[in-house]
Amino acid sequence: MIETQVEIAAPPSKVREVLLDFSKYPEWHVSTFHLLKAKNSTKTLATLIPGDVICCGIDGMKFDAKITENSENLFQWQGPPVAGLVAGLHSFYILSTKDGSATILKQTEEFTGALAFLMGPSLLGRKLVGQYRRFNADLKRRVEELESKDGTAAGAYNT
């Protein structure tokens, strides 16, 4: 399993708002996630429910994945098996710190299948760890920049 996390100086609702607004990713993130959109064009990432399909473009790979959870604290999809040998369950956990002053964003990828063991953080998964850390840092920077511009979450992001 791959796991990375970052603490972001903003409430979970703000982190979730920025995370699920993929249309604005090109403004702050260009390295890993190049496409995340609902296959049903009438939905946004925020309105997806389990079973809905998203189109993904991640690090040069394009595939469709099924949403398994989209709640206040978890946005998660199941990717398809690659050549029937390995599949990934990608998760973004959006958790309030104990004192409620910030958010812990935990990004994980849990692999299953005959070749899942190769995707560990010390083998082929090493590249993913670096990519997820860069994404986390980009997200942190974006959310905290928006928070510093205007202390109100809605006002900061919708300007």
Side-chain angles (χ1 to χ4, degrees), residues 1-8 28-29 31-33 90 92 105-108 121-122 125-141:
M1 175 152 90
I2 303 295
E3 182 175 317
T4 61
Q5 71 178 36
V6 66
E7 185 170 321
I8 302 172
W28 57 270
H29 175 76
S31 64
T32 305
F33 296 98
H90 195 96
F92 289 102
L105 176 84
K106 183 166 72 166
Q107 187 176 180
T108 67
S122 62
R126 185 179 327 194
K127 180 180 177 186
L128 288 176
V129 171
Q131 290 171 325
Y132 293 175
R133 285 182 179 154
R134 274 191 303 281
F135 176 84
N136 293 352
D138 288 349
L139 179 64
K140 173 183 174 66
R141 191 170 23 264

Side-chain angles (χ1 to χ4, degrees), residues 78-134:
Q78 175 67 56
V82 176
L85 299 173
V86 65
L89 179 66
H90 195 96
S91 305
F92 289 102
Y93 295 90
I94 307 160
L95 309 167
S96 180
T97 57
K98 287 185 182 183
D99 67 3
S101 66
T103 300
I104 300 294
L105 176 84
K106 183 166 72 166
Q107 187 176 180
T108 67
E109 188 89 30
E110 187 173 346
F111 295 98
T112 56
L115 297 181
F117 70 96
L118 291 174
M119 299 307 295
S122 62
L123 296 170
L124 296 177
R126 185 179 327 194
K127 180 180 177 186
L128 288 176
V129 171
Q131 290 171 325
Y132 293 175
R133 285 182 179 154
R134 274 191 303 281

